[in-house]
Amino acid sequence: MGEDAESPKINHTFLRDYVTEADVISTVEFNQTGDLLATGDKGGRVVIFQRETELKGELEEAGEVGDSGEYNVYSTFQSHEPDFDYLKSLEIEEKINKIRWLPQQNAAHFLLSTNDKTVKLWKVSERDKRPEGYNLKDEEGRIKDVSTITSLRVPVLKPTDLMVEVRPRRVFANGHTYHINSISVNSDGETYLSADDLRINMWHLDITDRSFNIVDIKPANMEDLTEVITAAEFHPHHCHLFVYSSSKGTLRLCDMRASALCDKHTKLFEEPEDPGSRSFFSEIISSVSDVKFSHSGRYLLTRDYLTAKVWDLNMDKGPVETYQVHEYLRSKLCSLYENDCIFDKFECVWNSSDSVIMTGAYNSFFRMFDRETGRGVTLEAWRENSKPRAVLRTRRVYTGGKRRRGDVGVDSLDFTKKILHMAWHPAENIIAIAATNNLYIFQDRVNPDAQTQ
Amino acid sequence: DSQEKNANPVKAEEAKLKAKYPGLGQKPGGSDFLMKRLQKGQKYFDSGDYNMAKAKMKNKQLPVAGPEKNLVTGDHIPTPQDLPRTRKSSLVTSKLAG
C-alpha cells in the first residue's frame, strides 16, 4: 500500500501504547503433563514456557530426577495477524482468545490457538541433531564439484544446539460469523469444538474446509435476540457430551448422540431467580464468563460477575456450591457499569483433585476456595509487594468490622488491575496467573502434589 | 433476611444509574449490550464520502473523529487515521520471551 502524502506523521505515543497493549496476556494454558505452559497475548503472539527438570547432585546420586524446576521460555511465535474483512467492514483483532493443547502422541507437541475468527493448529517440535558429511554438498551447503569426490560416505547425525521449530499445520478459517470465545479438544482426540456468540461448530483436526454446526441459537429475527453463548467445553471423558453457558446465566448440557443439531439441550442448568432481587443489573451480573468441567467430569464450575458456582451434573435445579468472590462490589454496580468493569470476563479453574477452585478479581487479587471447608483465601499477584520465592501473604478487603493492618478498602481497589486469565497445573499445586502483561507462576512447596483431603 | 439486604444496595445502585441516565433502555441489560457485543470490530468507511470531503476541503481541517468514532452519524467523515487498516503485526517480541 503506497504512502499517502497527506497521511499524518507517526504518533510516537500511539506506538508506545500499542506495544504495551500488545503485551497484555489474553490466555494461559498448561499442557496435559504440565511441562509446557503457553500464553497468548493481544498482539497475536504465543510464548511457550518449559519446566526445567532439576538434576541436582544429591538427587542424581539418589537416582531421582527432581521436578521442582522453574519455567523458562521454550519458544515464541506469531500466531495471528491483524486482519480486515473488507466485505463486512469488520476489523479482526489478532488477540489470542484461547489456547488449548492436544494430548501428546509423539515427540512433537500440538496446540490450537484462536483469535475472533480463525483457529490454527501449531506443531511444536525440537531439533537437536543435524546431518553432517553429505557427499554432494560441502559443510556450507554449496554443491561440490563432482570430479573432486573420490569416495562415498554415509552422512551421520551429529548433536547440535537445541532448536525449537513451530509450524502452522492447519488453519480453520471462515467457520464463524461472530466472535469465537472458546475452543475445546474432544476426548476422542480427533475433533474439537469452537464456539462464537451464537453458534458452536465441531471440527475434525485433519479437515479444514468443513465443520459441523452443532448449536445455532441465532433467532430468525435479530430483534428477538435475548442471549448469547459465552463459553463452551467438551466433557473430559464422554466424547458425545459438551456444555455451553449463556449471557443469561444458564448452562446447557448437550448430547451429540441425540441429534445432529443440538439446539435442544439434554439438560438445562439454571438457578431460580429471586423475583425480589431483580434489577437492571441482574442479567448482566448473571452472565457466565467461564465454564469448566471438573477433572472427574462430575461437576461444572462457572464464574459470573460476583460469584463462582459449582454444579453437579446430576442436579439441574441450581448450583451445589456458591462462592462469593467479591460480594462487596454489589454496592458499586453503578460505577462498575459506567466504567465497563461489569462486563469483565473472569476465568475460573479447578485444581487437579477438584478439591480447590480458583478465580480472579481486581487489584491484582485472586481467590482460592477450598470445597471441603468452604473457606476462601485472597492472594495477590503483584511483584511490588513480594520477592521471588517469598511466601504469598493472604490479603483482605475491608468490608466492615475490625480493620486489620494490610486490609484494603473497597474504594482503594485498582479496577485496572484485573486477574482474568489463569491456569492450574494438571497434577501439581502450581498455578499460572496472568496479571495484565505479567505472568506469575506460584508453587506450593508445602503440598506440592495435589492430595484429596 | 440476607436476600433483602442484598437487594437494597443493588436497588440503590439501580436508582443511581437511572438518575444519571434517564433514557437508559426499558429492557434491563437486554438486547442493546448483546447487539454491541455482536458488532465488535465493525468499522464504517464510505470512499465516496471520503473523496468528496477531500476534494471539497483541501485547505480546511478535516473534521476529526470524536470519541465515538465507531458510530456512524450523518456528519461524520472518516479521516485517514480512522480508516480501518490492516495494522502491521507486532515487530517486537513479546516481553515475556525477552
Side-chain angles (χ1 to χ4, degrees), chain A residues 18 45 81-82 84 88-89 91 116 179 197 225 274 278-280 330-331 333-334 338 437-438, chain B residues 3 6 10-11 13-14 20-21 31 34 37-38 40-43 84 87 89 92-96:
Chain A
Y18 179 69
R45 298 159 305 186
E81 306 268 358
F84 190 76
K88 295 181 190 155
S89 221
E91 190 168 44
D116 281 340
H179 300 101
D197 293 312
L225 181 70
D274 173 9
R278 182 137 186 81
S279 75
F280 175 84
R330 205 176 278 271
S331 54
L333 293 178
C334 180
E338 288 182 290
N437 53 358
N438 290 308
Chain B
Q3 198 67 30
N6 282 343
V10 179
K11 290 280 195 237
E13 291 296 299
E14 187 178 17
K20 277 193 180 179
Y21 310 101
S31 301
L34 301 183
R37 178 184 173 136
L38 296 181
K40 178 191 127 185
Q42 199 80 51
K43 298 273 187 257
R87 285 177 284 122
S89 63
V92 183
T93 326
S94 164
K95 69 176 256 262
L96 281 185

Side-chain angles (χ1 to χ4, degrees), chain A residues 354-370:
Chain A
D354 298 337
S355 58
V356 177
I357 59 157
M358 178 171 73
T359 188
Y362 294 107
N363 207 65
S364 306
F365 288 166
F366 58 100
R367 302 265 278 148
M368 273 193 205
F369 296 94
D370 182 326

